[in-house]
Amino acid sequence: MTAAQRKWIDVAVIGAGPAGVAAACAARTAGAGRVVVFDRDAEPGGILQQCVHTGFGLHTFGEELTGPEYMHRYIERARRAGVEFEPGAAVFGMEKPESRGDRQSAAFWVSSARRGVERVEAGAVVLAMGCRERPAGALGLAGTRPSGVYTAGSAQRLLNMGGLLPGRRAAVMGTGDIGLIMARRMTLEGASIVGVFEIMPWVSGLRRNVAQCLDDFGIHYHLNSSVRELRGYPALEGAVVEKIGRDGKPIQGSEEFIPCDTLLLAVGLIPENELTRMAGIGINPATNGPVVNDLMQTSCECVFAAGNAVAVYDLADFVSREGERAGRNAAMYAMGRLAKGGRDIAVIPGENVRSASPQIITGTEDIALYLRVSSPIEGKCRLEVSEGLFSADLRCARPGEMNTARLKASDIASLPHYIHSVAVRVKEA
Amino acid sequence: MERMKFLCVSCPFGCFLTAEHEGGKLTGVSGNACPAGERYAAREVSGPVRSFTTTARVDGGMLPRCPVRSRSPLPLSDFFAVKREIDGITLKPPVEIGQTIIKNVLETGVDIIASRSIPS
Ligand SMILES: Cc1cc2nc3c(=O)[nH]c(=O)nc-3n(C[C@H](O)[C@H](O)[C@H](O)COP(=O)(O)OP(=O)(O)OC[C@H]3O[C@@H](n4cnc5c(N)ncnc54)[C@H](O)[C@@H]3O)c2cc1C
Ligand code: SF4
């Protein structure tokens, strides 16, 4: 193993998805000298390179783009801004940041075919590693361990980037958006989808995807149903599904055998944060991402974070926007010019709120607080941030759809000094 | 008179609409919480259109597949036929993002374009 020392980087970004690319671009625009984006994949773009469907960019560009088109625009913009990209470079280690005078600096370890193993130092780092899919091993399925079981995203990559159809008769477990999108995609490729099974009494993906991925193609979905057992070896021959009762327990005698050669798992995404943990950065148990303040700064002051590494967002447009915030503030930090508001107020998830991000507000700039409810409210409800920071009526609130509360920096800054936390609630009107 | 049931996707609320029509002309709609639902229903009963996306085979490029899409929405009823057209072609790199892959596919008036570049 050779360890070469390389030139100083002002802002290093780990991950070249929508969060990382937007962060890098914003860092350069804010005045950072050298900005380098590292990604282990062969080209920049992140997960969106395999998302060939449309639905990206409506908020940012006012038109519906495919994933690769959306990223193409951002990558071009970043290149013009002078961002350097290092594809094929996996970051495998991160040190606890050290103080140098009045500031910290970060160091991490990169492995690439081109340059071997290196230690890289930077004035600030933006963590933008995205998320992973919950794998089969995490589900406790009974029965055999056959081939033919894929996470929906790995099937998406095989099909859209490799041209390989995973199977001809597929069942989908879970109603995450990627599963819904893959049900449509495989149908178009000539496969049949024998059913989509959701353990909860509600769909976790967006309604739009239920309409355009399932209903449009006559694909059926079953709520309160789950896959219990896999059969067949070495290849999958079918799955046993069962009904789930109101008490959340399986209903005896409701088992049904569904013949299929493929099972797609769309049962949740988990922020990817091995590096974050190595650096000793605090993790929020509700989001599984680092605790961040409204500057997207983590508990290590030279490390910022954005995108699905922080919390799983619904839309890439939001990811890009939060990435810009992280990149701009990382650049300011590296240049020694980060002006931070005087407050440190914790955001606490209250009634019917499962998670909220950021978890700390400082009153430095106006921000969007993103939150998810724990259980759905079909009908009028009210979103409130305590101390009168925000309130709005919602037409409905569903766990699969993020809600946003816009907070004003001036309101936060002028809260009485004895206020150290605010609560977010969503309740029936 | 015919009856159709579908979700309105004009906003995230997602009302479940029941629409009645005669030969594609809307005669009644229920379930919509706002007037946009009625406009959506009128479009749906006259024949739904959607953005069409898939991939096309590439020979000798950095990737074996290139994502493609319809330049504007296509009738949903044409999806499988358009897919067969695209399956019948093989692209030669380099492919440029936005490049027309099939002009006026199946006389629909809509082009199929590449949605990324594939260098050789
Ligand atoms: C399979 C899948 C499909 C999705 N489909 C959609 C969709 O259709 N629409 C939508 O809006 N959202 C979708 N999402 C959510 C999507 O992740 C976000 O919208 C968006 O792509 C998140 O951007 P990001 O930059 O945070 O992460 P990503 O796009 O995931 O980018 C993270 C990047 O970091 C790199 N990386 C990670 N760890 C390291 C490391 N240690 N060293 C070097 N590089 C590293 C990865 O290679 C990757 O390129 C999908 C997510 C998944 C997992
Ligand atoms: S009818 Fe109106 S409120 Fe209901 S989904 Fe359509 S646009 Fe939204």
Side-chain angles (χ1 to χ4, degrees), chain A residues 35-94:
Chain A
V35 178
V36 184
V37 189
F38 296 85
D39 199 296
R40 60 188 171 202
D41 217 334
E43 57 177 353
I47 213 79
L48 294 199
Q49 293 293 14
Q50 69 184 56
C51 298
V52 304
H53 54 277
T54 55
F56 302 92
L58 211 50
H59 292 254
T60 314
F61 299 110
E63 51 181 315
E64 278 205 61
L65 303 172
T66 62
E69 288 169 317
Y70 180 87
M71 282 319 293
H72 179 80
R73 294 198 183 183
Y74 267 98
I75 292 167
E76 289 297 297
R77 195 188 275 181
R79 289 218 159 99
R80 278 197 302 273
V83 170
E84 295 171 47
F85 284 97
E86 289 224 4
V91 179
F92 66 90
M94 186 141 176

Side-chain angles (χ1 to χ4, degrees), chain A residues 99-275:
Chain A
S99 292
R100 294 189 175 211
D102 60 339
R103 261 179 284 156
Q104 285 184 345
S105 69
F108 55 89
W109 291 79
V110 185
S111 163
S112 66
R114 222 155 44 88
R115 303 176 58 120
V117 168
E118 295 174 284
R119 182 173 184 274
V120 177
E121 287 186 35
V125 170
V126 179
L127 302 174
M129 291 89 70
C131 59
R132 287 198 187 134
E133 299 175 277
R134 182 161 289 136
L139 301 175
L141 293 171
T144 56
R145 290 292 175 263
S147 63
V149 181
Y150 301 86
T151 60
S154 48
Q156 187 180 49
R157 189 170 178 108
L158 277 178
L159 182 55
N160 291 346
M161 298 183 77
L164 303 167
L165 185 63
R168 300 245 140 234
R169 271 180 77 80
V172 182
M173 180 175 179
T175 49
D177 287 309
I178 313 161
L180 306 183
I181 283 161
M182 277 308 288
R184 169 176 67 187
R185 189 73 189 92
M186 284 185 68
T187 304
L188 193 61
E189 290 293 338
S192 60
I193 303 296
V194 296
V196 178
F197 303 95
E198 170 58 57
I199 194 166
M200 301 304 281
W202 58 78
V203 171
S204 70
L206 303 175
R207 285 221 163 175
R208 176 198 172 84
N209 284 334
V210 174
Q212 300 198 339
C213 299
L214 303 185
D215 295 350
D216 272 0
F217 295 89
I219 299 168
H220 296 289
Y221 65 95
H222 311 272
L223 300 177
N224 302 304
S225 304
S226 188
V227 175
R228 165 201 179 94
E229 184 185 329
L230 306 177
R231 290 204 186 147
Y233 192 82
L236 182 70
E237 285 164 22
V240 177
V241 301
E242 63 189 356
K243 286 270 165 211
I244 307 296
R246 275 166 189 272
D247 56 359
K249 297 205 178 95
I251 298 173
Q252 292 286 323
S254 67
E255 297 86 358
E256 190 189 346
F257 179 72
I258 311 277
C260 56
D261 62 17
T262 308
L263 177 67
L264 300 185
L265 306 175
V267 288
L269 302 172
I270 309 160
E272 173 152 347
N273 279 295
E274 281 75 12
L275 297 173

Side-chain angles (χ1 to χ4, degrees), chain A residues 244-365:
Chain A
I244 307 296
R246 275 166 189 272
D247 56 359
K249 297 205 178 95
I251 298 173
Q252 292 286 323
S254 67
E255 297 86 358
E256 190 189 346
F257 179 72
I258 311 277
C260 56
D261 62 17
T262 308
L263 177 67
L264 300 185
L265 306 175
V267 288
L269 302 172
I270 309 160
E272 173 152 347
N273 279 295
E274 281 75 12
L275 297 173
T276 320
R277 288 196 182 84
M278 274 183 220
I281 290 167
I283 301 278
N284 176 299
T287 54
N288 280 312
V291 174
V292 288
N293 66 19
D294 47 7
L295 306 167
M296 304 310 284
Q297 187 179 32
T298 69
S299 61
C300 287
E301 59 178 48
C302 67
V303 181
F304 295 72
N308 279 2
V310 173
V312 176
Y313 291 80
D314 288 346
L315 291 178
D317 296 66
F318 297 162
V319 168
S320 299
R321 206 173 301 158
E322 296 304 287
E324 281 165 16
R325 185 192 299 279
R328 176 163 30 87
N329 289 319
M332 296 312 256
Y333 183 87
M335 294 185 294
R337 300 213 311 257
L338 186 67
K340 195 166 154 183
R343 306 303 298 267
D344 231 350
I345 296 171
V347 177
I348 311 287
E351 186 179 332
N352 201 21
V353 173
R354 193 177 76 206
S355 63
S357 175
Q359 295 85 25
I360 299 167
I361 50 181
T362 61
T364 313
E365 48 185 304

Side-chain angles (χ1 to χ4, degrees), chain B residues 21-94:
Chain B
H21 68 102
E22 244 151 309
K25 245 189 107 50
L26 190 70
T27 54
V29 58
S30 62
N32 54 318
C34 84
E38 197 173 318
R39 291 196 290 277
Y40 183 77
R43 279 202 306 275
E44 284 296 285
V45 296
S46 68
V49 297
R50 305 275 187 266
S51 297
F52 173 88
T53 59
T54 184
T55 64
R57 195 177 305 113
V58 181
D59 189 25
M62 191 189 100
L63 287 172
R65 289 269 153 176
C66 177
V68 300
R69 70 166 169 109
S70 57
R71 198 187 292 277
S72 53
L74 272 177
L76 189 54
S77 53
D78 289 338
F79 269 33
F80 286 93
V82 169
K83 174 74 168 80
R84 277 194 298 277
E85 284 299 294
I86 294 168
D87 284 344
I89 60 167
T90 300
L91 302 177
K92 286 259 181 279

